[in-house]
Amino acid sequence: MTLHGYYRSSTSYRVRIALNLKGIAVDQVPVNLLEAEQRSEAYLALNPQGLVPTLMVDEAGQRTALSQSLAIMEYLEERWPTPALLPDDLLARAQVRSMCLLLACEMHPLNNPRVLKFLTGQMGASEEQRLVWYRHWVAEGFLRLEKMLTTSAGRFCFGDTPGMADACLMPQVYNARRFECDLAAYPRILAIEAACHELEAFQAAQPDQQADSPAA
Ligand SMILES: N[C@@H](CCC(=O)N[C@@H](CS)C(=O)NCC(=O)O)C(=O)O
């Protein structure tokens, strides 16, 4: 399989964590978002949305392009069920998916670079207003997630096994740190971050570990 992504893209980061947790090796093709490579004709032929990630899969004699990080993680889970990214219990699986959706649908899109660019461009927001916006949506999301974690978390978002919710959480924490958000009010999230940092699957997925990172 081939993963088209960008080192600092949180959605690519999610998929890298999921692949690493499952022990699946893939080829990686960098798509430089700063150079607008995601909008090149060649890339749009794979992913009409012009977003990363895209996972290219060879299966049943054909090559298929999968987009949307949550759909990709669900594919990986169904195709290679062990080690699992979701718990066995049906209700528990729904709880983990709720956390994933909070992170991926209520937080990530609001603070996506193209939204921030629109704010400071067409909407005329200042850099300071951009930061207020960014930090507001981090606080709003993390406050709710922190409450959900009171009933679900062990060492990780759900119990003591790392999984799909942790793969969604870690990139959001990474982004929040880049924008110097105050995370002191979220002790459970910080404890989960520390637990994830101990694992090779999460370490190897970090943006600065990727070949297209300037830090590499
Ligand atoms: N819901 C999508 C979001 C994908 C997305 O927003 N990707 C960003 C990077 S994190 C992107 O490609 N941005 C490029 C652009 O906005 O032009 C997913 O989960 O895969």
Side-chain angles (χ1 to χ4, degrees):
M1 290 190 291
T2 307
L3 180 65
H4 295 254
Y6 181 60
Y7 76 101
R8 218 166 53 186
S9 141
S10 28
T11 50
S12 308
Y13 188 1
R14 277 178 208 157
V15 172
R16 292 196 300 265
I17 294 170
L19 285 164
N20 292 347
L21 283 171
K22 286 199 174 283
I24 300 171
V26 295
D27 293 327
Q28 294 207 39
V29 176
V31 180
N32 190 330
L33 300 187
L34 299 182
E35 304 279 337
E37 285 178 5
Q38 73 278 22
R39 287 193 286 278
S40 70
E41 225 174 280
Y43 188 73
L44 287 171
L46 303 180
N47 183 325
Q49 273 194 287
L51 300 172
V52 291
T54 303
L55 185 70
M56 299 302 299
V57 180
D58 286 314
E59 204 167 283
Q62 61 182 41
R63 192 145 175 82
T64 305
L66 298 180
S67 61
Q68 290 289 343
S69 58
L70 291 187
I72 293 171
M73 290 196 290
E74 292 277 357
Y75 162 76
L76 296 173
E77 182 70 354
E78 289 178 13
R79 184 71 182 75
W80 292 278
T82 53
L85 300 177
L86 292 168
D88 286 340
D89 179 75
L90 193 61
L91 283 173
R93 292 164 85 85
Q95 281 178 279
V96 171
R97 288 185 173 115
S98 294
M99 289 189 273
C100 292
L101 290 168
L102 183 159
L103 290 155
C105 301
E106 319 294 343
M107 290 182 75
H108 173 267
L110 288 162
N111 282 347
N112 200 300
R114 64 198 163 123
V115 170
L116 302 179
K117 214 165 136 193
F118 187 80
L119 277 179
T120 50
Q122 278 95 322
M123 303 304 287
S126 65
E127 282 306 309
E128 199 186 330
Q129 287 170 320
R130 183 178 81 121
L131 261 186
V132 170
W133 169 281
Y134 195 101
R135 290 172 181 161
H136 170 78
W137 293 114
V138 169
E140 178 64 22
F142 278 180
L143 186 72
R144 312 294 161 189
L145 181 67
E146 184 74 14
K147 290 206 169 95
M148 289 167 90
L149 291 170
T150 56
T151 51
S152 70
R155 288 192 72 224
F156 298 99
C157 287
F158 194 91
D160 292 322
T161 308
M164 208 178 281
D166 305 287
C168 291
L169 174 61
M170 289 306 286
Q172 294 314 125
V173 175
Y174 170 85
N175 289 347
R177 291 199 179 283
R178 266 188 69 214
F179 283 80
E180 297 177 0
C181 300
D182 184 358
L183 302 180
Y186 321 115
R188 287 182 192 85
I189 291 175
L190 292 177
I192 292 165
E193 180 194 27
C196 290
H197 277 323
E198 286 175 19
L199 301 182
E200 167 67 21
F202 287 84
Q203 290 163 11
Q206 280 173 6
D208 63 3
Q209 297 300 308
Q210 308 313 305
D212 56 332
S213 160

